[in-house]
Amino acid sequence: MNGQGNGSRTELSQRAAAAEGRAEGLNVGWTVFSYLLSGMAAYGIIGWLIGRALHLSLLFPIGMLIGLGISIAFIIYRYGRVGLGGTASPQDRGGHRGGRPPGGDKETTGDR
């Protein structure tokens, strides 16, 4: 009985939620990194094999660049859809239509 009551429980739950959010962000970061590396590796190997068969050594770096481009496109498709014009649901924008809270039409200039 330290007299803190429910305050410490809510603080612990907030800390746990924040730690979980950071862990989820790290997972997404490592996933994106692995997509970039695996795309470059896969298409680099394909380019190297075709280049070796055709005696064109330039196909290896071209394959790596194509793999990088495909990986970036896939990452944008998978993780960047919410930020593109109008694809976010009202819940993603804070529950307000148009992404602005009510009363957000007032101009804020910094003058008080």
Side-chain angles (χ1 to χ4, degrees), residues 6-23:
N6 289 336
S8 63
R9 288 183 191 167
T10 57
E11 183 179 331
L12 287 176
S13 65
Q14 288 174 349
R15 285 185 184 180
E20 187 176 321
R22 285 191 301 271

Side-chain angles (χ1 to χ4, degrees), residues 50-111:
I50 294 172
R52 186 174 168 129
L54 298 176
H55 302 290
L56 294 171
S57 61
L58 190 62
L59 289 181
F60 172 63
I62 289 174
M64 289 184 73
L65 290 175
I66 289 172
L68 182 64
I70 290 172
S71 297
I72 289 173
F74 180 71
I75 291 166
I76 290 171
Y77 171 75
R78 180 150 186 201
Y79 294 106
R81 286 182 286 176
V82 175
L84 298 176
T87 59
S89 67
Q91 290 80 17
D92 293 335
R93 292 183 296 221
H96 306 292
R97 185 169 231 157
R100 293 186 180 170
D105 297 335
K106 298 176 185 174
E107 184 177 335
T108 55
T109 60
D111 298 332

